[in-house]
Amino acid sequence: MAAPLSIDPDREQCSRIPPELAIASAGALGAALRRSRKALGLTQAELALAAGVGLRFVGEVEAGKASVQLEQLLRVIDALGGTLLLRDAAGSPDA
């Protein structure tokens, strides 16, 4: 199963990961991050350690809790080798 995050081309996992996935809710983001973590063979505890966040935080993100802190969420995405990509309604990258 491939992880659904946009990945930096310099990372070895990029060949098996789609370039982007539309995320429309906290639940969808949590599910995408859980799939990415599992695809990388990481436990929640290992991901928390790699991201420098607490285990409870990782669990809350994966559960789709909407009140998570953005900085910590970005650390989790980075620890999974992902990037957060924003696109406008027309589909072009938002600068």
Side-chain angles (χ1 to χ4, degrees), residues 35-68:
R35 285 190 304 270
S36 294
R37 175 182 57 78
K38 288 183 175 187
L40 292 171
L42 297 173
T43 65
Q44 285 185 338
E46 290 168 334
L47 176 57
L49 182 62
V53 300
L55 175 59
R56 180 177 176 181
F57 178 80
V58 172
E60 289 175 350
V61 168
E62 289 188 359
K65 185 173 179 182
S67 62
V68 298

Side-chain angles (χ1 to χ4, degrees), residues 70-95:
L70 180 59
E71 181 63 32
Q72 289 179 315
L73 179 58
L74 292 173
R75 285 189 216 156
V76 169
I77 292 170
D78 183 60
L80 291 169
T83 56
L84 190 59
L85 176 64
L86 248 310
R87 292 195 173 271
D88 64 19
S92 62
D94 193 14

Side-chain angles (χ1 to χ4, degrees), residues 4-7 17-22 85 87 91:
L5 295 174
S6 175
I7 298 296
I17 301 173
E20 61 192 67
L21 174 71
L85 176 64
R87 292 195 173 271

